[in-house]
Amino acid sequence: FPVTIVPQKFACCFISNPLNEFRNKVVSCLVQLGYLDSYGLIGNNTGGRYEGNSIEKMREYRFCICFENAAHEAYVSEKLPNVLKAGIVPVYWGCPNIGKYFNKERFICVEGTNDDAVCLMITEMINLYANAEKWLEKVSKPIFPKGGSSLSLESMGVDLAAIIDRHDGRPTSTR
């Protein structure tokens, strides 16, 4: 669906699983900078865990942090698809070959776990926030990669609709 409304809020996340130290560090940094509304248990600064439909809540923001629990080839959970469904810009870290499955021009892909990678991520977020036209351009890019004629959700072994519907956009204790 085409996105025509540019949200005013900056970024959110719905992370409750504490087992990814890098993700925890990024959330903590963004919360401390005042750039992130955290609705999960990690870095929560919104008065408690959000119990509503997280996809609807995401639509109030330009970005959502959707880091995987771990980085493995071909491992993609519901996190990235949920943010894409919300029609905002995902900020993704995880699957090293994510570009095989999703168009990396459609989201911010954090490459690495060092301070430089985090600085590049924050810089890109700030630049896109400052330029609504560029944000709309990014959020309007195709979800799947160009030339992906042989690519399908079936070839990924993932049923996107089932993942999103199963989680109903609500956070669980493993996110």
Side-chain angles (χ1 to χ4, degrees), residues 125-156:
M125 292 170 75
I126 290 169
N127 289 340
L128 284 171
Y129 188 82
N131 187 331
E133 186 176 307
K134 289 282 186 192
W135 182 87
L136 279 168
E137 184 179 305
K138 188 166 202 70
V139 83
S140 298
K141 298 268 185 190
I143 290 175
F144 298 105
K146 292 179 182 165
S149 58
S150 63
L151 179 68
S152 69
L153 294 175
E154 291 77 26
S155 70
M156 289 173 49

PDB file of all heavy atoms in Angstrom, residues 125-156:
ATOM      1  N   MET A 125      19.357   7.485  10.002  1.00  0.00           N
ATOM      2  CA  MET A 125      18.039   7.760  10.570  1.00  0.00           C
ATOM      3  C   MET A 125      17.794   9.271  10.678  1.00  0.00           C
ATOM      4  O   MET A 125      16.734   9.767  10.278  1.00  0.00           O
ATOM      5  CB  MET A 125      17.900   7.097  11.944  1.00  0.00           C
ATOM      6  CG  MET A 125      17.858   5.586  11.903  1.00  0.00           C
ATOM      7  SD  MET A 125      17.972   4.828  13.554  1.00  0.00           S
ATOM      8  CE  MET A 125      16.312   5.167  14.170  1.00  0.00           C
ATOM      9  N   ILE A 126      18.763   9.989  11.195  1.00  0.00           N
ATOM     10  CA  ILE A 126      18.626  11.444  11.352  1.00  0.00           C
ATOM     11  C   ILE A 126      18.462  12.126  10.001  1.00  0.00           C
ATOM     12  O   ILE A 126      17.612  13.004   9.838  1.00  0.00           O
ATOM     13  CB  ILE A 126      19.830  12.016  12.139  1.00  0.00           C
ATOM     14  CG1 ILE A 126      19.764  11.560  13.598  1.00  0.00           C
ATOM     15  CG2 ILE A 126      19.871  13.538  12.044  1.00  0.00           C
ATOM     16  CD1 ILE A 126      21.017  11.847  14.398  1.00  0.00           C
ATOM     17  N   ASN A 127      19.266  11.719   9.027  1.00  0.00           N
ATOM     18  CA  ASN A 127      19.177  12.322   7.691  1.00  0.00           C
ATOM     19  C   ASN A 127      17.820  12.067   7.039  1.00  0.00           C
ATOM     20  O   ASN A 127      17.249  12.965   6.418  1.00  0.00           O
ATOM     21  CB  ASN A 127      20.312  11.818   6.793  1.00  0.00           C
ATOM     22  CG  ASN A 127      21.656  12.375   7.190  1.00  0.00           C
ATOM     23  OD1 ASN A 127      21.758  13.393   7.875  1.00  0.00           O
ATOM     24  ND2 ASN A 127      22.721  11.695   6.779  1.00  0.00           N
ATOM     25  N   LEU A 128      17.301  10.863   7.188  1.00  0.00           N
ATOM     26  CA  LEU A 128      15.979  10.558   6.618  1.00  0.00           C
ATOM     27  C   LEU A 128      14.872  11.293   7.371  1.00  0.00           C
ATOM     28  O   LEU A 128      13.884  11.711   6.771  1.00  0.00           O
ATOM     29  CB  LEU A 128      15.714   9.053   6.638  1.00  0.00           C
ATOM     30  CG  LEU A 128      16.435   8.228   5.580  1.00  0.00           C
ATOM     31  CD1 LEU A 128      16.268   6.741   5.840  1.00  0.00           C
ATOM     32  CD2 LEU A 128      15.933   8.586   4.183  1.00  0.00           C
ATOM     33  N   TYR A 129      15.032  11.436   8.664  1.00  0.00           N
ATOM     34  CA  TYR A 129      14.024  12.167   9.441  1.00  0.00           C
ATOM     35  C   TYR A 129      13.996  13.640   9.033  1.00  0.00           C
ATOM     36  O   TYR A 129      12.936  14.251   8.946  1.00  0.00           O
ATOM     37  CB  TYR A 129      14.289  12.037  10.942  1.00  0.00           C
ATOM     38  CG  TYR A 129      13.172  12.615  11.769  1.00  0.00           C
ATOM     39  CD1 TYR A 129      12.028  11.870  12.024  1.00  0.00           C
ATOM     40  CD2 TYR A 129      13.232  13.918  12.254  1.00  0.00           C
ATOM     41  CE1 TYR A 129      10.977  12.390  12.758  1.00  0.00           C
ATOM     42  CE2 TYR A 129      12.186  14.446  13.002  1.00  0.00           C
ATOM     43  CZ  TYR A 129      11.066  13.686  13.241  1.00  0.00           C
ATOM     44  OH  TYR A 129      10.013  14.208  13.959  1.00  0.00           O
ATOM     45  N   ALA A 130      15.160  14.187   8.758  1.00  0.00           N
ATOM     46  CA  ALA A 130      15.268  15.601   8.391  1.00  0.00           C
ATOM     47  C   ALA A 130      14.721  15.883   6.994  1.00  0.00           C
ATOM     48  O   ALA A 130      14.431  17.036   6.664  1.00  0.00           O
ATOM     49  CB  ALA A 130      16.727  16.059   8.473  1.00  0.00           C
ATOM     50  N   ASN A 131      14.567  14.849   6.177  1.00  0.00           N
ATOM     51  CA  ASN A 131      14.126  15.029   4.796  1.00  0.00           C
ATOM     52  C   ASN A 131      12.936  14.094   4.527  1.00  0.00           C
ATOM     53  O   ASN A 131      13.121  12.937   4.121  1.00  0.00           O
ATOM     54  CB  ASN A 131      15.284  14.742   3.840  1.00  0.00           C
ATOM     55  CG  ASN A 131      14.955  15.079   2.410  1.00  0.00           C
ATOM     56  OD1 ASN A 131      13.806  15.020   1.984  1.00  0.00           O
ATOM     57  ND2 ASN A 131      15.974  15.427   1.649  1.00  0.00           N
ATOM     58  N   ALA A 132      11.732  14.598   4.740  1.00  0.00           N
ATOM     59  CA  ALA A 132      10.524  13.780   4.597  1.00  0.00           C
ATOM     60  C   ALA A 132      10.393  13.198   3.190  1.00  0.00           C
ATOM     61  O   ALA A 132       9.913  12.071   3.025  1.00  0.00           O
ATOM     62  CB  ALA A 132       9.283  14.598   4.954  1.00  0.00           C
ATOM     63  N   GLU A 133      10.834  13.940   2.193  1.00  0.00           N
ATOM     64  CA  GLU A 133      10.753  13.446   0.812  1.00  0.00           C
ATOM     65  C   GLU A 133      11.630  12.202   0.629  1.00  0.00           C
ATOM     66  O   GLU A 133      11.216  11.225   0.005  1.00  0.00           O
ATOM     67  CB  GLU A 133      11.175  14.551  -0.155  1.00  0.00           C
ATOM     68  CG  GLU A 133      10.981  14.191  -1.613  1.00  0.00           C
ATOM     69  CD  GLU A 133      11.320  15.361  -2.520  1.00  0.00           C
ATOM     70  OE1 GLU A 133      10.765  16.459  -2.310  1.00  0.00           O
ATOM     71  OE2 GLU A 133      12.137  15.158  -3.444  1.00  0.00           O
ATOM     72  N   LYS A 134      12.829  12.234   1.183  1.00  0.00           N
ATOM     73  CA  LYS A 134      13.733  11.071   1.098  1.00  0.00           C
ATOM     74  C   LYS A 134      13.163   9.896   1.892  1.00  0.00           C
ATOM     75  O   LYS A 134      13.295   8.743   1.483  1.00  0.00           O
ATOM     76  CB  LYS A 134      15.129  11.425   1.618  1.00  0.00           C
ATOM     77  CG  LYS A 134      15.896  12.345   0.719  1.00  0.00           C
ATOM     78  CD  LYS A 134      16.460  11.590  -0.446  1.00  0.00           C
ATOM     79  CE  LYS A 134      17.346  12.507  -1.271  1.00  0.00           C
ATOM     80  NZ  LYS A 134      17.690  11.930  -2.543  1.00  0.00           N
ATOM     81  N   TRP A 135      12.539  10.179   3.053  1.00  0.00           N
ATOM     82  CA  TRP A 135      11.926   9.119   3.842  1.00  0.00           C
ATOM     83  C   TRP A 135      10.810   8.452   3.035  1.00  0.00           C
ATOM     84  O   TRP A 135      10.725   7.227   2.967  1.00  0.00           O
ATOM     85  CB  TRP A 135      11.389   9.677   5.170  1.00  0.00           C
ATOM     86  CG  TRP A 135      10.797   8.610   6.049  1.00  0.00           C
ATOM     87  CD1 TRP A 135      11.453   7.830   6.941  1.00  0.00           C
ATOM     88  CD2 TRP A 135       9.428   8.197   6.077  1.00  0.00           C
ATOM     89  NE1 TRP A 135      10.578   6.953   7.544  1.00  0.00           N
ATOM     90  CE2 TRP A 135       9.328   7.155   7.035  1.00  0.00           C
ATOM     91  CE3 TRP A 135       8.274   8.595   5.408  1.00  0.00           C
ATOM     92  CZ2 TRP A 135       8.119   6.515   7.322  1.00  0.00           C
ATOM     93  CZ3 TRP A 135       7.078   7.955   5.694  1.00  0.00           C
ATOM     94  CH2 TRP A 135       7.013   6.923   6.642  1.00  0.00           C
ATOM     95  N   LEU A 136       9.951   9.275   2.415  1.00  0.00           N
ATOM     96  CA  LEU A 136       8.865   8.727   1.591  1.00  0.00           C
ATOM     97  C   LEU A 136       9.411   7.908   0.426  1.00  0.00           C
ATOM     98  O   LEU A 136       8.842   6.878   0.057  1.00  0.00           O
ATOM     99  CB  LEU A 136       7.965   9.849   1.076  1.00  0.00           C
ATOM    100  CG  LEU A 136       6.923  10.368   2.052  1.00  0.00           C
ATOM    101  CD1 LEU A 136       6.291  11.657   1.532  1.00  0.00           C
ATOM    102  CD2 LEU A 136       5.858   9.316   2.343  1.00  0.00           C
ATOM    103  N   GLU A 137      10.504   8.371  -0.154  1.00  0.00           N
ATOM    104  CA  GLU A 137      11.135   7.642  -1.255  1.00  0.00           C
ATOM    105  C   GLU A 137      11.598   6.260  -0.771  1.00  0.00           C
ATOM    106  O   GLU A 137      11.369   5.253  -1.436  1.00  0.00           O
ATOM    107  CB  GLU A 137      12.328   8.452  -1.769  1.00  0.00           C
ATOM    108  CG  GLU A 137      13.015   7.874  -2.968  1.00  0.00           C
ATOM    109  CD  GLU A 137      14.180   8.759  -3.411  1.00  0.00           C
ATOM    110  OE1 GLU A 137      13.961   9.961  -3.654  1.00  0.00           O
ATOM    111  OE2 GLU A 137      15.313   8.233  -3.491  1.00  0.00           O
ATOM    112  N   LYS A 138      12.227   6.209   0.382  1.00  0.00           N
ATOM    113  CA  LYS A 138      12.723   4.936   0.927  1.00  0.00           C
ATOM    114  C   LYS A 138      11.569   3.995   1.269  1.00  0.00           C
ATOM    115  O   LYS A 138      11.601   2.817   0.935  1.00  0.00           O
ATOM    116  CB  LYS A 138      13.592   5.177   2.158  1.00  0.00           C
ATOM    117  CG  LYS A 138      14.298   3.921   2.652  1.00  0.00           C
ATOM    118  CD  LYS A 138      15.385   4.296   3.626  1.00  0.00           C
ATOM    119  CE  LYS A 138      16.446   3.241   3.766  1.00  0.00           C
ATOM    120  NZ  LYS A 138      17.321   3.047   2.626  1.00  0.00           N
ATOM    121  N   VAL A 139      10.550   4.528   1.917  1.00  0.00           N
ATOM    122  CA  VAL A 139       9.435   3.693   2.353  1.00  0.00           C
ATOM    123  C   VAL A 139       8.577   3.226   1.167  1.00  0.00           C
ATOM    124  O   VAL A 139       7.796   2.280   1.301  1.00  0.00           O
ATOM    125  CB  VAL A 139       8.599   4.422   3.431  1.00  0.00           C
ATOM    126  CG1 VAL A 139       7.603   5.366   2.844  1.00  0.00           C
ATOM    127  CG2 VAL A 139       7.946   3.457   4.383  1.00  0.00           C
ATOM    128  N   SER A 140       8.767   3.860   0.015  1.00  0.00           N
ATOM    129  CA  SER A 140       8.014   3.483  -1.180  1.00  0.00           C
ATOM    130  C   SER A 140       8.756   2.484  -2.072  1.00  0.00           C
ATOM    131  O   SER A 140       8.210   2.031  -3.079  1.00  0.00           O
ATOM    132  CB  SER A 140       7.678   4.737  -1.995  1.00  0.00           C
ATOM    133  OG  SER A 140       6.865   5.599  -1.227  1.00  0.00           O
ATOM    134  N   LYS A 141       9.970   2.146  -1.719  1.00  0.00           N
ATOM    135  CA  LYS A 141      10.747   1.173  -2.507  1.00  0.00           C
ATOM    136  C   LYS A 141      10.077  -0.200  -2.431  1.00  0.00           C
ATOM    137  O   LYS A 141       9.392  -0.525  -1.463  1.00  0.00           O
ATOM    138  CB  LYS A 141      12.169   1.057  -1.960  1.00  0.00           C
ATOM    139  CG  LYS A 141      12.972   2.330  -2.011  1.00  0.00           C
ATOM    140  CD  LYS A 141      13.742   2.420  -3.270  1.00  0.00           C
ATOM    141  CE  LYS A 141      14.642   3.655  -3.228  1.00  0.00           C
ATOM    142  NZ  LYS A 141      15.225   3.927  -4.479  1.00  0.00           N
ATOM    143  N   PRO A 142      10.300  -1.028  -3.447  1.00  0.00           N
ATOM    144  CA  PRO A 142       9.752  -2.394  -3.404  1.00  0.00           C
ATOM    145  C   PRO A 142      10.305  -3.170  -2.207  1.00  0.00           C
ATOM    146  O   PRO A 142      11.449  -2.975  -1.808  1.00  0.00           O
ATOM    147  CB  PRO A 142      10.232  -3.024  -4.710  1.00  0.00           C
ATOM    148  CG  PRO A 142      10.686  -1.895  -5.571  1.00  0.00           C
ATOM    149  CD  PRO A 142      11.051  -0.765  -4.670  1.00  0.00           C
ATOM    150  N   ILE A 143       9.508  -4.043  -1.667  1.00  0.00           N
ATOM    151  CA  ILE A 143       9.918  -4.844  -0.511  1.00  0.00           C
ATOM    152  C   ILE A 143      10.904  -5.936  -0.909  1.00  0.00           C
ATOM    153  O   ILE A 143      11.841  -6.236  -0.178  1.00  0.00           O
ATOM    154  CB  ILE A 143       8.687  -5.446   0.194  1.00  0.00           C
ATOM    155  CG1 ILE A 143       7.901  -4.322   0.889  1.00  0.00           C
ATOM    156  CG2 ILE A 143       9.084  -6.525   1.184  1.00  0.00           C
ATOM    157  CD1 ILE A 143       6.602  -4.766   1.520  1.00  0.00           C
ATOM    158  N   PHE A 144      10.703  -6.507  -2.093  1.00  0.00           N
ATOM    159  CA  PHE A 144      11.556  -7.603  -2.526  1.00  0.00           C
ATOM    160  C   PHE A 144      12.611  -7.116  -3.508  1.00  0.00           C
ATOM    161  O   PHE A 144      12.412  -6.118  -4.193  1.00  0.00           O
ATOM    162  CB  PHE A 144      10.705  -8.727  -3.121  1.00  0.00           C
ATOM    163  CG  PHE A 144       9.760  -9.307  -2.103  1.00  0.00           C
ATOM    164  CD1 PHE A 144       8.415  -9.007  -2.142  1.00  0.00           C
ATOM    165  CD2 PHE A 144      10.236 -10.120  -1.090  1.00  0.00           C
ATOM    166  CE1 PHE A 144       7.544  -9.521  -1.191  1.00  0.00           C
ATOM    167  CE2 PHE A 144       9.382 -10.642  -0.136  1.00  0.00           C
ATOM    168  CZ  PHE A 144       8.040 -10.340  -0.191  1.00  0.00           C
ATOM    169  N   PRO A 145      13.746  -7.814  -3.594  1.00  0.00           N
ATOM    170  CA  PRO A 145      14.850  -7.358  -4.443  1.00  0.00           C
ATOM    171  C   PRO A 145      14.518  -7.399  -5.923  1.00  0.00           C
ATOM    172  O   PRO A 145      13.707  -8.213  -6.365  1.00  0.00           O
ATOM    173  CB  PRO A 145      15.989  -8.319  -4.120  1.00  0.00           C
ATOM    174  CG  PRO A 145      15.429  -9.412  -3.303  1.00  0.00           C
ATOM    175  CD  PRO A 145      14.058  -9.031  -2.872  1.00  0.00           C
ATOM    176  N   LYS A 146      15.176  -6.507  -6.661  1.00  0.00           N
ATOM    177  CA  LYS A 146      15.026  -6.502  -8.126  1.00  0.00           C
ATOM    178  C   LYS A 146      15.617  -7.785  -8.684  1.00  0.00           C
ATOM    179  O   LYS A 146      16.579  -8.321  -8.155  1.00  0.00           O
ATOM    180  CB  LYS A 146      15.755  -5.303  -8.727  1.00  0.00           C
ATOM    181  CG  LYS A 146      15.120  -3.994  -8.376  1.00  0.00           C
ATOM    182  CD  LYS A 146      15.883  -2.844  -8.971  1.00  0.00           C
ATOM    183  CE  LYS A 146      15.197  -1.553  -8.531  1.00  0.00           C
ATOM    184  NZ  LYS A 146      16.034  -0.393  -8.760  1.00  0.00           N
ATOM    185  N   GLY A 147      15.032  -8.250  -9.770  1.00  0.00           N
ATOM    186  CA  GLY A 147      15.536  -9.461 -10.390  1.00  0.00           C
ATOM    187  C   GLY A 147      15.239 -10.699  -9.573  1.00  0.00           C
ATOM    188  O   GLY A 147      15.789 -11.752  -9.820  1.00  0.00           O
ATOM    189  N   GLY A 148      14.376 -10.554  -8.608  1.00  0.00           N
ATOM    190  CA  GLY A 148      14.045 -11.685  -7.745  1.00  0.00           C
ATOM    191  C   GLY A 148      12.914 -12.510  -8.304  1.00  0.00           C
ATOM    192  O   GLY A 148      12.072 -12.970  -7.564  1.00  0.00           O
ATOM    193  N   SER A 149      12.898 -12.686  -9.630  1.00  0.00           N
ATOM    194  CA  SER A 149      11.781 -13.402 -10.245  1.00  0.00           C
ATOM    195  C   SER A 149      11.659 -14.823  -9.721  1.00  0.00           C
ATOM    196  O   SER A 149      10.568 -15.364  -9.627  1.00  0.00           O
ATOM    197  CB  SER A 149      11.928 -13.423 -11.769  1.00  0.00           C
ATOM    198  OG  SER A 149      13.157 -14.021 -12.129  1.00  0.00           O
ATOM    199  N   SER A 150      12.790 -15.441  -9.340  1.00  0.00           N
ATOM    200  CA  SER A 150      12.705 -16.789  -8.779  1.00  0.00           C
ATOM    201  C   SER A 150      12.484 -16.745  -7.274  1.00  0.00           C
ATOM    202  O   SER A 150      12.281 -17.771  -6.646  1.00  0.00           O
ATOM    203  CB  SER A 150      13.988 -17.562  -9.091  1.00  0.00           C
ATOM    204  OG  SER A 150      15.087 -16.925  -8.470  1.00  0.00           O
ATOM    205  N   LEU A 151      12.528 -15.542  -6.716  1.00  0.00           N
ATOM    206  CA  LEU A 151      12.339 -15.394  -5.279  1.00  0.00           C
ATOM    207  C   LEU A 151      10.858 -15.323  -4.943  1.00  0.00           C
ATOM    208  O   LEU A 151      10.090 -14.633  -5.594  1.00  0.00           O
ATOM    209  CB  LEU A 151      13.024 -14.117  -4.786  1.00  0.00           C
ATOM    210  CG  LEU A 151      12.907 -13.816  -3.310  1.00  0.00           C
ATOM    211  CD1 LEU A 151      13.690 -14.847  -2.517  1.00  0.00           C
ATOM    212  CD2 LEU A 151      13.426 -12.428  -3.022  1.00  0.00           C
ATOM    213  N   SER A 152      10.494 -16.067  -3.953  1.00  0.00           N
ATOM    214  CA  SER A 152       9.135 -16.002  -3.445  1.00  0.00           C
ATOM    215  C   SER A 152       9.183 -16.337  -1.966  1.00  0.00           C
ATOM    216  O   SER A 152      10.183 -16.845  -1.461  1.00  0.00           O
ATOM    217  CB  SER A 152       8.230 -17.005  -4.171  1.00  0.00           C
ATOM    218  OG  SER A 152       8.599 -18.318  -3.812  1.00  0.00           O
ATOM    219  N   LEU A 153       8.110 -16.035  -1.298  1.00  0.00           N
ATOM    220  CA  LEU A 153       8.052 -16.393   0.119  1.00  0.00           C
ATOM    221  C   LEU A 153       8.167 -17.898   0.293  1.00  0.00           C
ATOM    222  O   LEU A 153       8.743 -18.384   1.245  1.00  0.00           O
ATOM    223  CB  LEU A 153       6.770 -15.862   0.751  1.00  0.00           C
ATOM    224  CG  LEU A 153       6.682 -14.343   0.822  1.00  0.00           C
ATOM    225  CD1 LEU A 153       5.321 -13.922   1.346  1.00  0.00           C
ATOM    226  CD2 LEU A 153       7.786 -13.775   1.682  1.00  0.00           C
ATOM    227  N   GLU A 154       7.641 -18.647  -0.687  1.00  0.00           N
ATOM    228  CA  GLU A 154       7.724 -20.097  -0.605  1.00  0.00           C
ATOM    229  C   GLU A 154       9.173 -20.554  -0.688  1.00  0.00           C
ATOM    230  O   GLU A 154       9.595 -21.457   0.028  1.00  0.00           O
ATOM    231  CB  GLU A 154       6.896 -20.760  -1.716  1.00  0.00           C
ATOM    232  CG  GLU A 154       5.401 -20.598  -1.545  1.00  0.00           C
ATOM    233  CD  GLU A 154       4.894 -19.209  -1.930  1.00  0.00           C
ATOM    234  OE1 GLU A 154       5.529 -18.522  -2.749  1.00  0.00           O
ATOM    235  OE2 GLU A 154       3.862 -18.807  -1.378  1.00  0.00           O
ATOM    236  N   SER A 155       9.974 -19.891  -1.570  1.00  0.00           N
ATOM    237  CA  SER A 155      11.370 -20.292  -1.698  1.00  0.00           C
ATOM    238  C   SER A 155      12.166 -19.952  -0.439  1.00  0.00           C
ATOM    239  O   SER A 155      13.197 -20.538  -0.172  1.00  0.00           O
ATOM    240  CB  SER A 155      12.022 -19.652  -2.929  1.00  0.00           C
ATOM    241  OG  SER A 155      12.186 -18.265  -2.740  1.00  0.00           O
ATOM    242  N   MET A 156      11.691 -18.996   0.318  1.00  0.00           N
ATOM    243  CA  MET A 156      12.350 -18.658   1.576  1.00  0.00           C
ATOM    244  C   MET A 156      11.968 -19.639   2.667  1.00  0.00           C
ATOM    245  O   MET A 156      12.583 -19.687   3.714  1.00  0.00           O
ATOM    246  CB  MET A 156      11.916 -17.260   2.051  1.00  0.00           C
ATOM    247  CG  MET A 156      12.467 -16.138   1.235  1.00  0.00           C
ATOM    248  SD  MET A 156      11.755 -14.550   1.723  1.00  0.00           S
ATOM    249  CE  MET A 156      11.945 -14.568   3.484  1.00  0.00           C
TER     250      MET A 156
END
